[in-house]
Amino acid sequence: MFFKKKKKAQLDKNRILNAPLPQHIAIILDGNGRWAKKRGLPRTAGHQEGAMNVREITKICANIGVKALTVYAFSTENWKRPEEEVKFLMKLPIKFFNDFAPELIENDIRLKVIGNVEDLPKDLQKKVLEITEMTQNNKKMTLTIALNYGSRDEIKQAVQQIATDVLDHQLKVEEISEDLIDRYLMTYDLPPLDLMIRTSGELRISNYLLWQLAYAELYFTSIAWPDFKEQQLYEALFDYQSRQRRFGGLSEKK
């Protein structure tokens, strides 16, 4: 369901900030390439602009009280893209981490990376380790970058580890519960997911946080990620706050 765009004057930011905010927001950063093509630029220019926008939206989320922001930067399926684009996308996070590190420290934001980091280029692996260690004690918000990540693969790895622990007698089959599975996922130390945003008009999940999305609210917008600014974030928050989250139960009106 698309959000009907409201004029800026109709959005009361103070009212939004004083209402319950999602504690964990996930975003599928879609539309970078199309944004660039529309402007006669190479797709890499769109990815560069998209990375800059991650920095801005991250700081806004931290400052308004969101506790976790998880963004889908590169999926396990994205290796199928043209070789030159993939090479650029493997270099872009290094520049992103280098440029953003001072702001992460200044804003007390912890950086976490989920996905198969061991399959990334060695220089990127080294930078991921460096930036996560540098920010590990920051408390205000956690920015999680899903990099070489696929949700089915994440669930497969969790099942394999649970099976291994059962065979090693560290775990009993009857102890396996939804809460236990949560603890074996890559997001084990993050709050439950409240809101998932996908930009650029696509209406699908694309193998992203499938387990975690079970009761999250979904918000789709036709705005390309580089154009998703503070105003668009507040529109998504306004829409989130207008919904009744019943988690499978009935509303009080029923």
Side-chain angles (χ1 to χ4, degrees):
M1 178 178 176
F2 281 92
F3 179 83
K4 186 176 180 181
K5 192 172 181 181
K6 293 178 176 288
K7 295 179 180 178
K8 291 185 179 181
Q10 292 178 286
L11 279 177
D12 185 339
K13 291 185 179 180
N14 288 329
R15 183 177 178 181
I16 291 170
L17 293 178
N18 287 321
L21 290 168
Q23 291 301 284
H24 185 180
I25 299 173
I27 306 178
I28 298 178
L29 314 173
D30 201 10
N32 293 332
R34 279 165 281 175
W35 180 91
K37 185 177 179 181
K38 186 177 178 180
R39 289 160 176 77
L41 300 170
R43 287 177 59 85
T44 52
H47 294 309
Q48 182 70 52
E49 191 69 22
M52 290 293 296
N53 201 40
V54 169
R55 293 171 61 177
E56 296 309 310
I57 294 298
T58 295
K59 289 183 287 186
I60 293 169
C61 285
N63 289 334
I64 65 176
V66 174
K67 294 301 181 185
L69 174 65
T70 302
V71 299
Y72 207 6
F74 190 89
S75 76
T76 49
E77 289 77 30
N78 286 156
W79 295 104
K80 301 172 187 176
R81 293 189 176 188
E83 184 179 354
E84 287 305 311
E85 183 175 352
V86 170
K87 285 182 179 178
F88 180 84
L89 290 171
M90 289 297 102
K91 294 296 182 185
L92 183 59
I94 296 176
K95 177 173 172 47
F96 173 84
F97 293 146
N98 284 335
D99 293 347
F100 199 23
E103 291 175 295
L104 291 171
I105 300 297
E106 180 183 348
N107 288 275
D108 197 24
I109 298 169
R110 176 174 74 110
L111 190 130
K112 172 183 171 77
V113 175
I114 60 174
N116 296 319
V117 176
E118 66 278 4
D119 293 331
L120 296 172
K122 296 297 183 183
D123 56 346
L124 180 50
Q125 289 185 46
K126 182 179 178 181
K127 183 55 63 175
V128 166
L129 180 61
E130 177 187 321
I131 195 74
T132 52
E133 287 183 348
M134 184 187 304
T135 64
Q136 63 183 338
N137 295 320
N138 292 351
K139 305 293 186 185
K140 192 173 186 180
M141 191 185 81
T142 298
L143 168 64
T144 301
I145 309 287
L147 196 57
N148 195 25
Y149 169 88
S151 187
R152 287 184 173 184
D153 182 63
E154 175 191 27
I155 294 169
K156 179 200 73 175
Q157 290 184 41
V159 171
Q160 289 174 333
Q161 188 58 55
I162 290 171
T164 298
D165 288 349
V166 170
L167 290 173
D168 290 343
H169 304 291
Q170 298 180 32
L171 184 68
K172 296 179 180 178
V173 171
E174 56 269 26
E175 293 177 323
I176 300 173
S177 63
E178 291 184 12
D179 286 342
L180 182 133
I181 293 171
D182 277 335
R183 297 199 296 272
Y184 278 77
L185 296 175
M186 297 174 184
T187 54
Y188 68 93
D189 57 348
L190 299 177
L193 184 56
D194 295 314
L195 172 65
M196 194 284 290
I197 298 168
R198 181 166 189 157
T199 57
S200 201
E202 301 292 352
L203 304 177
R204 55 179 176 268
I205 306 305
S206 296
N207 197 20
Y208 187 45
L209 301 174
L210 299 177
W211 177 277
Q212 297 88 337
L213 279 169
Y215 285 106
E217 298 297 320
L218 307 182
Y219 179 86
F220 300 97
T221 174
S222 59
I223 301 293
W225 171 246
D227 289 330
F228 188 90
K229 305 298 184 182
E230 182 177 16
Q231 174 71 15
Q232 287 72 39
L233 176 63
Y234 275 94
E235 288 174 356
L237 295 174
F238 179 82
D239 184 70
Y240 168 84
Q241 292 169 344
S242 70
R243 303 184 190 184
Q244 282 192 330
R245 304 189 73 199
R246 298 190 294 272
F247 300 96
L250 298 176
S251 67
E252 293 181 2
K253 293 181 180 179
K254 296 290 185 179

